[in-house]
Amino acid sequence: MTQEEREQIIALVKREVVPAIGCTEPMAVALAVAKSKEILNAIPKQIVVSLSANMLKNAMGVGIPGTNMVGLPIAIALGALVGKSEYLLEVLKDTTPESVAEGREYISQQRIQINQKKDTEEKLYIEVVSHNGDDKVKVIITGDHTHFSYISKNGEVLLDDAKTTTAVVEKNAPQLTMARVYEFATTAPIHDIHFILETAELNKKAAEMSLNNSFGHGLGRTIFMEPKSQFFGNGIYAKILAYTSAACDARMAGVKVPVMSNSGSGNQGIAATLPVWVFAKERLKTEEELTRALMLSHLTVIYIKQSFGRLSPLCGCVVAATGSACGLTYLMGGTYDQIVYSVKNMIANITGMICDGAKPSCSLKVATGVSTAVLSSMLAIEDKVVTSVEGIIDDDVDKCVQNMAGLGLKGMASTDNFVLDVMTRKN
């Protein structure tokens, strides 16, 4: 691998693995609102938000940091009141109790209208139209949670950069394969990839905060605090489940704590990071081993998401836990072939888990994903792998990933419509 190729991959990882406060979908909506306020140069008197089905689904039931409230209205109100677009996915980090009270009042004045955008094929589509007197600003985000594709004020187009492909690929972004992911993670100069350790620092803080409190469904704390003679004991497996689900508990409950996201999802960042960090810590692995394992995990997630795009009917924990399975297998002393086995074992097992929006119970799905990652790695180290005569598995690991992506994007499309219908009929 050339130095130029390594630099491209490093740039890709730094774009995709970034801090985020709160669920990325409502934060992206708040980001669009904040941008519209800045262009308007005033707090909007009326805001009309139109979202793709996947965006609407993922933003309906999740806690908004620092508010003790759930869902889009408060995210939109705070985006208008205190949001700053320069903060990107940390757009609401200046939220205070006073601004939350103002946000409640803003909502009560019925200034916000939320619609489903039905005439778009984009999975990630956010359209915000803000009004203040005779002034009108339109902001559109597509393809990526922070990508502004269109901005206009009073009919004058200020930006038109329609990046509307389902799988957003940046210009000059390297096209990855599993072999290239492994080569980079295991051979890149350690000082070039040392930055990935920040994922562990940030995400373990969120987990530790959650383990000492009761957020969401409290799954992580429940596992961590149970009598040691009961189901899980006090070993590495229990700690992997506890730390990973605890961080998710905090994030989905709307705790105002940043996590390191991956490919636009905090839960994906958590699931790609904490199983690897816990295993390395418990097994006294070196800093270099942890660094390479984390890079392998995160870059695997980025690689798979290149086929999926930002949002899909398939739960992102399946993808993220596949990354952590690779990191775990590496830390267990696994070869490239055994790491491939762990990927195949993951795809054969939990592909098909539905995404029914971001919400507190995501911690259950994350726990399921990382539990499967441990099992997949254990089998892989014993050279046991689901073969190409079984289900959707192919001899070629990259083809396996394509099969999973095809199932998630095409095969589950009608499932996604049904899930959204069920969710919207309840409200």
Side-chain angles (χ1 to χ4, degrees):
M1 185 175 293
T2 67
Q3 179 63 25
E4 181 181 0
E5 289 173 320
R6 282 200 297 268
E7 289 174 356
Q8 287 179 341
I9 293 175
I10 289 168
L12 174 64
V13 175
K14 288 184 175 180
R15 284 197 302 270
E16 298 289 10
V17 181
V18 296
I21 296 178
C23 177
T24 48
E25 277 69 53
M27 291 306 104
V29 176
L31 175 63
V33 173
K35 175 65 81 172
S36 75
K37 172 194 64 177
E38 292 160 3
I39 301 296
L40 201 59
N41 200 29
I43 294 175
K45 294 190 181 300
Q46 294 289 331
I47 303 174
V48 179
V49 176
S50 301
L51 304 174
S52 58
N54 285 78
M55 282 296 303
L56 189 63
K57 177 182 70 174
N58 273 17
M60 289 171 59
V62 68
I64 305 303
T67 69
N68 290 319
M69 297 176 69
V70 169
L72 281 167
I74 189 62
I76 292 168
L78 290 173
L81 294 169
V82 299
K84 293 182 180 178
S85 65
E86 65 192 80
Y87 293 161
L88 298 179
L89 293 180
E90 296 180 285
V91 58
L92 300 184
K93 70 179 181 179
D94 289 342
T95 298
T96 64
E98 292 74 21
S99 60
V100 174
E102 291 177 27
R104 289 177 183 271
E105 177 65 20
Y106 193 97
I107 294 168
S108 71
Q109 294 171 357
Q110 298 185 330
R111 297 187 180 197
I112 299 169
Q113 179 182 333
I114 302 170
N115 307 308
Q116 181 182 346
K117 183 77 171 179
K118 294 186 176 181
D119 59 345
T120 180
E121 296 182 359
E122 282 292 316
K123 298 292 184 184
L124 199 165
Y125 182 95
I126 303 165
E127 179 183 300
V128 172
V129 179
S130 294
H131 300 264
N132 186 47
D134 293 332
D135 290 329
K136 172 183 172 182
V137 169
K138 183 175 183 178
V139 173
I140 298 176
I141 288 177
T142 54
D144 183 284
H145 291 81
T146 60
H147 176 253
F148 294 101
S149 59
Y150 181 88
I151 299 174
S152 68
K153 182 176 183 180
N154 298 331
E156 179 186 355
V157 177
L158 306 178
L159 173 70
D160 190 357
D161 181 19
K163 187 194 298 181
T164 55
T165 54
T166 300
V168 176
V169 179
E170 298 282 352
K171 291 180 181 178
N172 301 319
Q175 292 303 291
L176 300 171
T177 64
M178 197 63 229
R180 282 172 62 81
V181 167
Y182 175 81
E183 179 186 359
F184 175 81
T186 57
T187 65
I190 196 66
H191 58 82
D192 285 349
I193 61 174
H194 192 262
F195 67 91
I196 203 69
L197 289 176
E198 188 182 351
T199 63
E201 289 300 313
L202 211 57
N203 291 344
K204 76 183 179 69
K205 286 179 182 177
E208 288 165 350
M209 177 185 291
S210 187
L211 292 173
N212 290 314
N213 292 277
S214 183
F215 300 133
H217 293 297
L219 177 61
R221 183 174 170 83
T222 299
I223 296 170
F224 195 71
M225 300 297 288
E226 66 146 5
K228 301 308 178 190
S229 60
Q230 247 178 316
F231 304 102
F232 294 110
N234 193 32
I236 294 177
Y237 178 60
K239 291 178 181 177
I240 285 174
L241 293 185
Y243 271 80
T244 309
S245 53
C248 182
D249 283 327
R251 179 172 176 270
M252 292 291 95
V255 177
K256 196 175 179 182
V257 58
V259 300
M260 195 68 81
S261 66
N262 184 308
S263 303
S265 167
N267 284 348
Q268 287 173 184
I270 288 167
T273 302
L274 289 175
V276 176
W277 173 77
V278 169
F279 188 94
K281 177 174 175 286
E282 292 295 308
R283 288 295 177 90
L284 303 178
K285 297 296 181 177
T286 66
E287 185 176 274
E288 177 171 347
E289 288 173 315
L290 173 59
T291 300
R292 295 195 182 282
L294 285 171
M295 181 55 72
L296 178 60
S297 178
H298 279 280
L299 192 54
T300 298
V301 177
I302 293 168
Y303 156 56
I304 297 174
K305 292 294 287 186
Q306 283 184 335
S307 297
F308 273 93
R310 283 294 189 260
L311 301 175
S312 82
L314 188 101
C315 178
C317 82
V318 176
V319 177
T322 301
S324 62
C326 294
L328 290 171
T329 306
Y330 173 81
L331 289 175
M332 291 177 187
T335 63
Y336 171 70
D337 286 341
Q338 289 168 324
I339 287 167
V340 166
Y341 295 167
S342 70
V343 173
K344 292 183 177 181
N345 291 340
M346 287 293 296
I347 292 172
N349 193 341
I350 57 173
T351 296
M353 183 186 292
I354 64 166
C355 171
D356 54 345
K359 60 213 175 298
S361 60
C362 283
S363 62
L364 291 162
K365 296 190 178 189
V366 166
T368 297
V370 298
S371 172
T372 305
V374 173
L375 297 177
S376 297
S377 295
M378 288 171 60
L379 285 175
I381 285 296
E382 297 298 323
D383 290 323
K384 298 185 184 301
V385 59
V386 178
T387 66
S388 60
V389 300
E390 304 173 70
I392 64 170
I393 299 304
D394 193 275
D395 286 329
D396 183 345
V397 66
D398 298 307
K399 181 62 176 174
C400 290
V401 170
Q402 293 168 20
N403 291 343
M404 178 169 65
L407 178 64
L409 289 172
K410 299 177 182 178
M412 295 177 67
S414 59
T415 300
D416 206 32
N417 293 333
F418 178 80
V419 168
L420 182 65
D421 183 57
V422 169
M423 293 174 66
T424 53
R425 279 192 284 109
K426 293 188 295 182
N427 297 312

